[in-house]
Amino acid sequence: MTESRRRIGFGVFAECLLTGVWIAVASVPVVTAPAAFAAGARHLRRHLRQEAGGVREFATDLRSAARHGWLVGLAGLGAFVAVWLDLQLARAGLPGGRVAAAVGIFALIGAAVTVLRAAAVWTPGAVWRALLADAARRALRAPAGSLLLVCGLAIVILSAEFLAPLAVPVLGILAAAAVAVEERGRPGR
């Protein structure tokens, strides 16, 4: 590998880590997480195309994505709470609690993958409902990419379990993985 290829690869890696910090900060209100991932993914796409972009462009994209993206975040928060309640019922020993918890966990994982795929292709002016519908279809048609994103989610969770601050930059790597999955799945690739 030549020196310039290493430098480019390290630059992309560093940009992913920085983007992870931006995503984490923008996701503090929780309901803004889908918009933060969308802005982060757009930033990484700009970086890969060698277009100018920084924190100002990220903030502009975040505001644009959050206009309706907060509803996606609110729905995700509601789904998380519902699954948490299912887990509490399963621990309490209610009949059918384990099955309900398992179904809820799989549904939550599927929803998270769908949101990540939608965020990876978000552009200003895009309608979240259409993005999510298309992302759900792509998630089912391309299970390998979806599995990659499930593994990425697991890495974020395990990083947070191991050392909580480590999960922050890993969010950028998850956004980059979502962009890569979507780029790989584009026609003509």
Side-chain angles (χ1 to χ4, degrees):
M1 183 184 295
T2 64
E3 180 66 27
S4 64
R5 285 191 65 182
R6 277 189 231 146
R7 188 172 293 153
I8 290 169
F10 187 71
V12 170
F13 178 68
E15 200 65 32
C16 289
L17 298 179
L18 176 63
T19 303
V21 173
W22 293 348
I23 290 170
V25 170
S27 296
V28 167
V30 179
V31 297
T32 58
F37 269 98
R42 186 147 191 265
H43 170 73
L44 290 172
R45 287 193 316 264
R46 267 195 305 267
H47 181 76
L48 291 172
R49 289 189 306 255
Q50 298 178 345
E51 297 174 1
V55 72
R56 286 186 180 141
E57 289 79 7
F58 175 85
T60 301
D61 288 340
L62 178 64
R63 280 191 299 276
S64 180
R67 283 194 190 102
H68 297 289
W70 71 271
L71 293 168
V72 177
L74 186 62
L77 183 60
F80 180 81
V81 169
V83 170
W84 182 81
L85 289 172
D86 281 348
L87 289 172
Q88 299 310 311
L89 292 175
R91 286 188 183 137
L94 261 59
R98 287 185 179 186
V99 173
V103 168
I105 288 171
F106 283 116
L108 187 62
I109 291 170
V113 166
T114 300
V115 169
L116 283 171
R117 291 185 86 133
V121 297
W122 176 88
T123 55
V127 178
W128 277 99
R129 183 177 294 219
L131 287 173
L132 291 168
D134 290 342
R137 282 190 286 278
R138 288 191 310 275
L140 293 173
R141 289 184 186 145
S146 298
L147 181 60
L148 176 68
L149 293 178
V150 169
C151 292
L153 287 166
I155 289 171
V156 170
I157 292 167
L158 291 173
S159 297
E161 286 289 321
F162 178 66
L163 185 63
L166 187 59
V168 171
V170 174
L171 291 172
I173 296 170
L174 179 59
V179 169
V181 164
E182 291 302 321
E183 284 294 314
R184 184 174 156 243
R186 277 190 353 186
R189 289 269 172 179

